[in-house]
Structures are given as structure tokens and as C-alpha cells.
Amino acid sequence: MVSRGIPEKGWHELIVAYKRVKETYKNIVLLLVGDSPYLRNLLSENATNDDAIIHVGFSSDVYAWISIFDVCVLPSYYNSESCPIALIEYIMMGKPVITSNINGISKMIISDGNKYAGQVIELNKNGKCDIDSLCNAMSLYLANKEILNKHADNAIEISKKYMIENVAAKYLDVFKKVVG
């Protein structure tokens, strides 16, 4: 996961889900890129000798880290979330995504042809990413490489809508409609 180190990005939920999934899938690693006092404290509270949780801290080159991810996760419940850059970076690098369904960010991983670049997790009654659903999504990718690969292929297709020339063309269309 690559994100700001604030609680609302779902760091705690991801760590809890990872630990549960690791009980079944022993050879998985959780790589966390981001930093803050909150995140460092959370990691120290959840550290055990059995966990392969790697915290690299802040990085100015997130693409180097994303390139080694098999799956990218953003279990955000941040109320102001609208178009997270991390999600775009994941998709642009052809990575399947597990993300929360908050403020329409789930629409970011769907193509015009209704293909998905990942899985969408609903928020629970407390307004946070549902940990059981997160575990299920992670387990699905670990158990079914065909789905993982299909979502990765879809991510590459979906990434085209985030290419600067396509975004610029959409802005130009809006300006033309407004100006007349």
C-alpha cells in the first residue's frame, strides 16, 4: 500500500486483514509505503516475529515500490477521498486493486465496457473498510491467479483514461460546453 500515513486511509484495517489472511497463506508479504507518527506507532503495536510486514517509510519514488506489488490495496474511509493519486498510480502500472467504496472511487477501477481492474470493498456500519470483506478480496487473488491476471490486464486498459492527453481532451470538452 502506498498512501499518506493517516488512520482514514485504512492502514489498521489492512494490517488486521493481512494477519488473518497470512494464517492461511503463509508466504505473503505486506509492503507499506508512507510515513507518519500514527503509522509508526500502529506498526510497533502490531509487530510480531511472524509477520512479514515491511514498512519502507516515505519514498519519493513510489513507482519503484508499486512495480514489485502483486496487488495494490487502498481501504480508505477518508471522507474527502475523491480521486486518490495512489489509485491512479496503481492502475497506470497495471496492478489489480482492492479499494473501498467511498465517494465514488470505486468507479475509478471500472472501464467503459464494465471491466474491473480490481475489487471493491464496502464500508461497514462504522464507516470503515470491512475487514472480513478485505480478507475475502485478498484471499480471492491468492487463490485464483486467473482473476488476478484478468484484473491486471483490465487495469492496463483502464489506465488509458488517466493518460494526460485523454484527461486534457475531456477538460477541453467541458470548457467548450461552458464557453459555448
Side-chain angles (χ1 to χ4, degrees):
M1 177 168 153
V2 173
S3 191
R4 287 187 297 144
I6 61 173
E8 297 84 4
K9 291 294 186 169
W11 296 97
H12 171 75
E13 292 74 16
L14 177 57
I15 291 169
V16 171
Y18 163 79
K19 286 182 171 187
R20 286 187 194 168
V21 172
K22 189 164 177 64
E23 291 173 8
T24 303
Y25 297 94
K26 305 287 186 208
N27 294 325
I28 61 173
V29 174
L30 179 62
L31 183 58
L32 304 173
V33 182
D35 198 25
S36 71
Y38 160 78
L39 187 53
R40 288 189 301 273
N41 184 53
L42 177 66
L43 289 166
S44 68
E45 289 173 357
N46 286 280
T48 67
N49 292 335
D50 295 334
D51 289 341
I53 298 176
I54 300 169
H55 178 229
V56 299
F58 172 80
S59 176
S60 60
D61 186 10
V62 296
Y63 296 108
W65 295 108
I66 295 170
S67 71
I68 61 175
F69 292 176
D70 293 320
V71 175
C72 297
V73 184
L74 187 63
S76 179
Y77 52 92
Y78 183 55
N79 282 331
S80 296
E81 201 78 83
S82 61
C83 185
I85 298 298
L87 198 57
I88 294 171
E89 291 167 336
Y90 296 162
I91 293 168
M92 294 295 289
M93 295 196 66
K95 300 298 179 174
V97 176
I98 300 171
T99 189
S100 56
N101 191 15
I102 186 166
N103 296 336
I105 65 170
S106 61
K107 294 177 184 171
M108 294 175 66
I109 67 167
I110 302 172
S111 73
D112 294 335
N114 217 22
K115 293 180 182 177
Y116 286 80
Q119 301 175 69
V120 178
I121 305 302
E122 295 300 325
L123 300 181
N124 63 24
K125 62 183 177 186
N126 298 322
K128 296 182 178 183
C129 188
D130 183 73
I131 293 172
D132 290 336
S133 297
L134 187 53
C135 289
N136 291 339
M138 293 165 71
S139 295
L140 176 65
Y141 282 144
L142 290 163
N144 193 324
K145 298 298 182 199
E146 186 176 317
I147 292 174
L148 175 86
N149 292 333
K150 182 171 181 55
H151 286 174
D153 290 343
N154 291 347
I156 292 167
E157 180 182 323
I158 291 167
S159 72
K160 293 173 186 164
K161 72 180 178 181
Y162 298 108
M163 295 174 76
I164 191 66
E165 56 272 8
N166 295 332
V167 172
K170 287 182 182 181
Y171 273 114
L172 186 58
D173 288 344
V174 170
F175 289 139
K176 286 179 181 177
K177 288 178 185 175
V178 171
V179 174

